[in-house]
Amino acid sequence: MATLYLTARRFAKADYVKALSADGEAYRFRQRPRATAPSRSSEKEEFMAIDAKVMPEQRLRALTECIKNKGFARILETHSGLSGIVAENAAIEHEGSRLEFDGFWESSLTDSATKGFPDASIVGNDSRVHTIDEILNVTSKPIVVDGDTGGDPAQFRYLVRHLERLGVSAVIIEDKVYPKRNSLDASASQSLEDPEVFANKIRAGREVRATEEFMVIARLESLIAGVGLQDALERAEQYIVAGADGIMIHTSKRDPEEILEFAKAYEPLCARLGRRPVLVSVPTTYNSISDTELVANGFNVIIHANHMLRASHKAMKEIAQTILESNRSLEADPLITSTAEIFATVGFDLVTERDRETSQVQRLSAIIPAAGKDAAFPDAPKSLIPIAGRPVIDYQLEAISKAGMNQIVVVRGHEGLQFDTRPTDEKITFCENPNYEDTFDLFSLFQADKYMQRGFVLIYSDILFDQDILQRLIDTDEDIVLALDGSYQYHRHEIEKRLDLAVSANRRESHHRSLQPPALMEIARLGKNIDREAAEFEFVGLAYFSERGAEALRRAYYECQRTAAGPFHEAALFKMASITDLLQELINRDVAVHGLEIHKGWLEIHNQKDVAVAEREVLSLVSAESAAD
Ligand code: SPV
Ligand code: MG
């Protein structure tokens, strides 16, 4: 304790001012390595609870270490796991350093209020410990627990043992009589405990602790009870003599004057006693004073004691009102956190990421190249063409998620910003193809290269399809499988558009009379320039690539990118190639590219006529479904 006294003393006065001259200079001390590296986008930079590898003893000690190193600790109230995560991650850039809270306050007021109870010794220790454990579970910084009166010495002993074992750094008990009333209500009765009885409780608590670092802090309620500064100082002396590791002086006044007077008198008192326990303030009412000023006046722990709870209460009231007033929740959207951010905050993303690693289907990405501009729909990406009131991509997302995939990647280009109007909680990863005017779908696809590597499903942006087709493609044992529509050959004379056509390796004559079930076949030729009479199939725009298939595709792409000069299959240049060109390249290199024949369950949107057909289909499906219900 002597060391702590010296260190705290050393920092307590003029040196604090010097250390904090630029209001934050002292923070340089604390470039604490994070328990886990922040991952992915800034919105998702939240602390991932499951990866927090801080053991109870380490956390326990961190508070004294923090006070030793920089002279003080700035503490924020938390009342739940979620508020703990937010408090843990709160940070600003301050003069080139990262400024964060140093730990958390587990408050009796806010723990009770979260449960809808008054702060009047109603919520018991078991329940409090449950909340504390919740916070410990998802955070890594030190916790200071509000121990109320501590109960009788026997109860306090058990509380100290329990909190210390959990890794809590300090417990603060107040010198009032059980059952206590919250200190901030001036009309409440505030009966003070006999100081000697309270001093014995401090002794009892300190006796049972297993480590030197666990702090038992005595909270003076003299100013709350209106018995004055002198009483506070006398009690402070008794508690210091009893071994208190810290002294908290509290007031409900708005003016910090009394608190500062106490702090001034505290130094000579400690000097006389030869020991200076840390000095703690809770500036809820006297909050015009800054943390820096409090530190400059000798305070070592500053607790912002209830702000997270009060903030959430205000926000909840506002949102409930807004939904009632608006008769729906749309107006509430800008006032609330997106579900995607909540998912990232509490580590749900990590769960799904790990699911993806273990599940064959979930490992796959669904990649939708949607960068190109189509003359028939010049004003928007084709993904956003509305069909019966919903954009094409909505139907695609539904089918993709029904097939069990949740990594969805859209490559955008033409009118790409229009995707920003999508719901914020939708989980689409966007890649950009800024060269969409000079390139085609192959170049777009490879903007999503890093999402291709564990296997993927390619989905053209202008098709509606049944999820069964996706499922069947994925279920094949082949590495590259394209969905091919065999009905093309019956309609070929009616179709005017330039389609992606395919010829199988074992061309089946009189195919339409075959009794064989639809089967997988190897593809020999693929492209738009295939003679219409020779072509048997139309490529639907849905294809599956296993990890190996994706690897073969990527290898060919990067080799051709390096070596291809002049025309590349049907393209004038490699840079302007289509996906089918690269697939033809694979076939020529003896990589098996398979086709899975389908007859129904998809529609392509090439022009306004297709939109009308799609709308009729969608609406008839909807009415068939509701008739079946
Ligand atoms: C608490 O946060 O529960 C406290 C501080 O004890 S105060 O509410 O100011 O009494
Ligand atoms: Mg309290």
Side-chain angles (χ1 to χ4, degrees):
M1 273 306 140
T3 339
L4 185 56
Y5 167 66
L6 281 176
T7 321
R9 272 304 279 139
R10 205 160 350 108
F11 274 90
K13 285 276 170 171
D15 289 350
Y16 274 160
V17 184
K18 223 190 303 156
L20 289 163
S21 56
D23 189 8
E25 183 73 19
Y27 300 119
R28 301 245 163 85
F29 287 113
R30 83 173 300 281
Q31 285 300 321
R32 184 178 62 88
R34 292 174 67 84
T36 179
S39 63
R40 295 173 289 178
S41 70
S42 59
E43 197 175 78
K44 294 176 180 173
E45 236 180 54
E46 302 280 356
F47 183 76
M48 288 300 179
I50 200 82
D51 286 343
K53 295 196 176 69
V54 56
M55 295 311 286
E57 261 194 80
Q58 224 179 325
R59 186 199 302 246
L60 190 163
R61 280 196 302 269
L63 183 64
T64 26
E65 279 164 12
C66 169
I67 298 171
K68 251 188 226 177
N69 288 340
K70 69 173 198 185
F72 70 97
R74 193 197 313 254
I75 305 288
L76 184 62
E77 168 263 334
T78 57
H79 51 269
S80 63
L82 183 62
S83 64
I85 295 176
V86 174
E88 171 105 7
N89 290 298
I92 59 164
E93 282 300 310
H94 185 86
E95 299 189 342
S97 302
R98 184 181 164 93
L99 183 54
E100 303 174 16
F101 287 97
D102 301 303
F104 316 120
W105 168 240
E106 206 283 326
S107 143
S108 68
L109 165 62
T110 69
D111 192 340
S112 311
T114 302
K115 295 169 174 66
F117 291 146
D119 181 20
S121 300
I122 290 166
V123 176
N125 281 349
D126 279 355
S127 169
R128 296 287 305 282
V129 163
H130 189 91
T131 309
I132 292 162
D133 196 43
E134 216 176 82
I135 300 163
L136 286 165
N137 250 325
V138 295
T139 60
S140 69
K141 292 179 179 176
I143 300 197
V144 179
V145 166
D146 173 1
D148 276 346
T149 65
D152 76 357
Q155 289 168 318
F156 188 48
R157 278 192 196 95
Y158 277 95
L159 182 64
V160 166
R161 290 286 304 270
H162 201 151
L163 296 179
E164 187 181 29
R165 230 183 14 250
L166 288 173
V168 166
S169 301
V171 61
I172 301 186
I173 50 169
E174 58 197 271
D175 57 355
K176 286 204 300 233
V177 176
Y178 178 91
K180 69 96 210 243
R181 301 290 180 253
N182 182 272
S183 308
L184 297 177
D185 183 351
S187 67
S189 74
Q190 305 286 354
S191 333
L192 294 185
E193 181 59 277
D194 177 280
E196 198 42 44
V197 170
F198 190 72
N200 281 335
K201 199 158 30 179
I202 290 174
R203 284 192 189 93
R206 292 187 85 251
E207 267 162 27
V208 294
R209 35 174 222 174
T211 64
E212 276 289 298
E213 290 87 0
F214 182 84
M215 289 195 262
V216 175
I217 298 177
R219 161 173 167 176
L220 301 164
E221 291 284 296
S222 307
L223 303 180
I224 297 285
V227 296
L229 191 64
Q230 196 48 40
D231 182 76
L233 285 165
E234 281 164 21
R235 284 169 175 268
E237 176 165 350
Q238 269 176 286
Y239 305 157
I240 293 171
V241 170
D245 301 294
I247 294 290
M248 169 182 153
I249 178 72
H250 204 20
T251 181
S252 55
K253 295 215 172 96
R254 297 199 72 78
D255 191 335
E257 196 187 335
E258 245 183 347
I259 291 288
L260 297 181
E261 253 181 78
F262 178 90
K264 203 165 155 198
Y266 187 65
E267 303 304 340
L269 170 67
C270 292
R272 181 158 60 77
L273 298 175
R275 200 170 73 81
R276 184 191 182 278
V278 295
L279 188 58
V280 184
S281 90
V282 178
T284 304
T285 50
Y286 55 98
N287 59 357
S288 58
I289 192 164
S290 71
D291 294 354
T292 311
E293 287 172 285
L294 285 167
V295 170
N297 280 280
F299 286 96
N300 311 101
V301 179
I302 299 150
I303 300 175
H304 296 282
N306 46 44
H307 300 81
M308 300 292 268
L309 186 274
R310 284 162 63 194
S312 59
H313 178 248
K314 185 167 195 283
M316 287 191 285
K317 275 174 53 178
E318 192 179 341
I319 224 65
Q321 201 80 26
T322 303
I323 294 172
L324 283 177
E325 278 164 6
S326 317
N327 196 23
R328 61 181 187 183
S329 68
L330 180 72
E331 287 69 13
D333 281 348
L335 306 174
I336 55 179
T337 304
S338 68
T339 51
E341 193 180 341
I342 295 289
F343 287 171
T345 301
V346 300
F348 186 74
D349 286 1
L350 207 61
V351 172
T352 52
E353 203 170 295
R354 286 178 181 160
D355 285 348
R356 268 202 294 282
E357 274 158 25
T358 48
S359 147
Q360 181 64 21
V361 173
Q362 290 186 32
R363 281 162 65 99
L364 300 174
S365 307
I367 305 181
I368 307 171
K373 178 175 175 177
D374 188 318
F377 303 97
D379 301 329
K382 285 177 89 176
S383 292
L384 300 183
I385 299 167
I387 307 288
R390 298 170 69 204
V392 173
I393 196 168
D394 270 16
Y395 298 96
Q396 296 191 335
L397 295 181
E398 206 174 298
I400 293 166
S401 70
K402 275 187 188 159
M405 284 180 279
N406 47 24
Q407 169 84 68
I408 298 152
V409 183
V410 171
V411 184
R412 56 185 179 174
H414 171 62
E415 288 292 324
L417 289 181
Q418 289 193 29
F419 283 102
D420 287 347
T421 57
R422 303 290 305 161
T424 50
D425 54 356
E426 193 167 77
K427 304 240 288 199
I428 298 180
T429 303
F430 289 105
C431 297
E432 316 292 336
N433 176 4
N435 300 330
Y436 64 89
E437 282 182 282
D438 305 320
T439 59
F440 281 92
D441 57 5
L442 181 63
F443 189 83
S444 281
L445 174 65
F446 272 81
Q447 301 317 297
D449 179 46
K450 71 172 177 184
Y451 301 101
M452 296 162 66
Q453 301 177 15
R454 294 196 304 180
F456 71 100
V457 170
L458 165 72
I459 299 171
Y460 281 5
S461 67
D462 56 358
I463 54 171
L464 300 183
F465 55 92
D466 196 288
Q467 53 118 35
D468 276 357
I469 304 178
L470 278 188
Q471 203 64 63
R472 285 174 57 202
L473 284 174
I474 296 166
D475 287 347
T476 61
D477 287 331
E478 305 300 339
D479 290 318
I480 302 177
V481 190
L482 278 51
L484 300 181
D485 190 333
S487 68
Y488 158 77
Q489 52 193 315
Y490 315 119
H491 308 303
R492 56 183 144 215
H493 302 293
E494 306 153 20
I495 299 171
E496 307 120 35
K497 348 175 203 189
R498 292 196 70 212
L499 306 176
D500 287 325
L501 300 173
V503 181
S504 68
N506 308 311
R507 205 178 156 165
R508 284 172 287 167
E509 292 305 331
S510 53
H511 167 268
H512 56 285
R513 286 197 215 110
S514 165
L515 288 175
Q516 285 174 12
L520 270 178
M521 73 215 71
E522 251 190 83
I523 298 173
R525 285 174 58 215
L526 201 59
K528 286 185 171 38
N529 296 346
I530 292 173
D531 173 51
R532 289 188 156 222
E533 293 307 316
E536 302 158 278
F537 304 102
E538 177 186 357
F539 173 38
V540 168
L542 284 172
Y544 162 70
F545 296 82
S546 70
E547 201 167 330
R548 274 213 329 237
E551 171 57 25
L553 187 79
R554 294 176 63 244
R555 196 173 326 115
Y557 179 83
Y558 290 110
E559 271 175 33
C560 294
Q561 192 183 50
R562 268 198 317 276
T563 57
F568 182 73
H569 300 281
E570 295 182 356
L573 286 170
F574 178 72
K575 190 182 140 197
M576 297 162 73
S578 297
I579 293 168
T580 46
D581 291 320
L582 189 61
L583 288 168
Q584 184 66 58
E585 174 70 22
L586 285 181
I587 295 167
N588 295 359
R589 292 173 176 222
D590 283 338
V591 175
V593 174
H594 282 87
L596 177 75
E597 187 178 355
I598 59 162
H599 286 287
K600 280 192 171 150
W602 75 288
L603 268 173
E604 187 176 23
I605 313 296
H606 264 308
N607 50 38
Q608 287 301 344
K609 233 159 69 187
D610 294 335
V611 171
V613 172
E615 293 202 328
R616 269 201 310 278
E617 291 266 343
V618 167
L619 294 174
S620 74
L621 272 178
V622 170
S623 59
E625 267 169 28
S626 45
D629 285 346

